Amino acid sequence: MAERKREKLSKQTSDRLYEMIVEERRCPPGSKLPNENELSRALEVSRTTLREAISFLVARGVLVIRRGKGTYVAEELPTAGMDLEGLAGLQARTRARDLFEMRLIFEPATVALACRRASEEELQQIQQKADRMEEIARAGGDWPLADQEFHWAIIKASHNEYMRKLYPIINSAVNEVMQRTRNRQRMQETAIQDNKLILEFLHKRDAESASQAMTIHMKHLMTTLDES
């Protein structure tokens, strides 16, 4: 039983690494992965589980181990299943408000789908991401990244593959916006409070109310951006 549980965790970790590398493009082709300690902390798994997850991705041709140098992302990655290069090129030219208008269009619908489709385990993962985001924010850490993990967990729980492919592009643009905004503290408090309301309706599986809560959240962020 313990062996099966460990293998399941290794596979989940492998899947998360795959998403980060292939779908979210956090590690460019040919780049070196962070060291084991840093990566295991980021993924909240043991070094043993991380090594097993890396072995899975080496077998799939996503990662390459260079003896004495470390683990690297392959020069040629599998396609994420959807050509979004054109959208990626918009990041530097698109206004922040345009970005959040885009999120306003699809994230309320996505959280409604998550209410209907998420497993209990997925709901727990969303809760954990929200708790971690608040913990990091209170400690003065990189809360925008943790908040994006919260939204990414909702996207995955919607079980809509097109939304899964689109979100990493939007996510990357959000990073750019958050680096420039002067109202990070106010955005932080807004995100913490709004996330709690979104979570309340997710746990109740109240799709309509969750959608409305996400709409309110996006409008709150847009107002804060306008004032920055």
Side-chain angles (χ1 to χ4, degrees):
M1 181 65 72
E3 181 70 18
R4 286 200 298 272
K5 184 176 181 180
R6 185 175 60 81
E7 289 178 358
K8 181 180 179 181
L9 180 58
S10 298
K11 182 61 171 60
Q12 289 173 341
T13 305
S14 171
D15 290 344
R16 180 65 190 118
L17 264 178
Y18 181 89
E19 290 169 350
M20 292 169 65
I21 295 168
V22 178
E23 297 184 1
E24 300 175 35
R25 299 286 174 172
R26 294 193 187 185
C27 304
S31 65
K32 185 178 180 180
L33 286 188
N35 63 54
E36 276 190 358
N37 288 334
E38 183 180 345
L39 198 52
S40 62
R41 283 197 301 268
L43 294 170
E44 299 179 296
V45 296
S46 69
R47 292 171 63 185
T48 299
T49 297
L50 176 63
R51 289 179 193 136
E52 292 173 349
I54 287 173
S55 296
F56 290 143
L57 294 186
V58 168
R60 295 176 66 179
V62 175
L63 296 176
V64 177
I65 296 177
R66 298 177 184 171
R67 193 174 301 277
K69 294 184 177 181
T71 304
Y72 290 76
V73 178
E75 294 290 347
E76 294 186 12
L77 290 173
T79 177
M82 188 175 182
D83 183 7
L84 295 174
E85 293 302 316
L87 283 178
L90 292 174
Q91 293 173 20
R93 301 192 301 273
T94 303
R95 293 183 301 114
R97 188 173 181 83
D98 291 345
L99 170 63
F100 281 89
E101 283 177 352
M102 179 66 179
R103 294 184 70 187
L104 179 60
I105 290 169
F106 88 92
E107 288 204 49
T110 303
V111 75
L113 289 176
C115 281
R116 301 184 184 104
R117 298 174 177 175
S119 66
E120 289 302 317
E121 182 180 3
E122 286 171 328
L123 287 179
Q124 187 58 38
Q125 289 171 355
I126 294 170
Q127 179 69 59
Q128 289 171 356
K129 296 296 184 184
D131 292 343
R132 180 169 172 76
M133 176 270 184
E134 183 170 358
E135 178 184 338
I136 290 172
R138 300 303 187 197
D142 188 4
W143 69 265
L145 180 59
D147 189 54
Q148 288 161 37
E149 287 287 329
F150 166 69
H151 285 273
W152 177 238
I154 294 174
I155 298 292
K156 290 192 291 184
S158 75
H159 295 276
N160 183 294
E161 287 304 309
Y162 282 94
M163 291 178 179
R164 282 172 62 99
K165 304 306 181 188
L166 179 61
Y167 187 68
I169 298 298
I170 295 175
N171 198 24
S172 179
V174 169
N175 282 332
E176 293 185 14
V177 170
M178 294 308 299
Q179 292 302 318
R180 295 195 302 266
T181 185
R182 291 176 293 179
N183 281 345
R184 280 172 64 99
Q185 183 61 37
R186 183 173 169 190
M187 276 196 160
Q188 171 185 306
E189 295 303 323
T190 296
I192 290 173
Q193 294 304 315
D194 289 353
N195 286 356
K196 289 178 180 178
L197 187 60
I198 293 166
L199 277 165
E200 178 183 343
F201 294 125
L202 270 167
H203 284 301
K204 291 179 179 178
R205 295 191 181 270
D206 184 341
E208 183 177 352
S209 296
S211 178
Q212 291 175 355
M214 185 67 78
T215 297
I216 291 169
H217 176 51
M218 291 303 153
K219 288 183 177 180
H220 280 163
L221 294 180
M222 290 167 71
T223 299
T224 305
L225 283 169
D226 286 342
E227 295 172 354
S228 65

